[in-house]
Amino acid sequence: MKIRPLILSLVLALGLLTACSQEAWDGSSQIQAPHIDRSPLDGRWIITDASPCPNSAPACQDMKALVGKEVIFKKDFALINGELKKEITYNMRKVSSENYLQKVYNLDRQETSVKAEALYVITLFKEDRGIIEVLREKEDIAYINIQGHLLEMAKTKEDLSQDQIKYYLEGSHEGTVYQSSRELNHGG
């Protein structure tokens, strides 16, 4: 009696195993990176705060002067501190905020306004060279590294129109710093 279930299970196992083939794998089902049609920071951001400076160096004052300015990120370009960066790519990874801030910036998390235990480090690349680093805490809060200083940014709800994107990409912004969307839409 015990032999019958054993023989039946062996026959079923042989039937299942014969369904497998010995063909070589051609890689056609290989996992590929997804095509994402927007940047991980996509949109308009406003610099809301500058990191504390250990001294009153001129560079610290320059960073504080950026509070209230716009930073714009799109798939193929970024406008940061009045400079248009074209043909960029993004790389994103998740890190421990405490460890990363300590190792890279020599800061304790308590010294900054970072509250999250994990951050997304988003690096902007141009021609395989990292040009800007942004630490995203939440969907609408991030910190941009400008000349070694972390500046807090808040995402605005307002997005760029196609006319505004064209305006920035054609170089019409040169000579002006952070012309606001209100100025673009209403002529100043």
Side-chain angles (χ1 to χ4, degrees), residues 54-68:
N55 54 34
S56 58
C60 291
Q61 297 306 320
D62 292 344
M63 294 303 119
K64 289 180 182 182
L66 294 175
V67 172

Side-chain angles (χ1 to χ4, degrees), residues 2-14:
K2 291 185 178 183
I3 295 177
R4 184 180 250 172
L6 181 61
I7 293 174
L8 186 60
S9 63
L10 283 174
V11 169
L12 282 173
L14 287 174

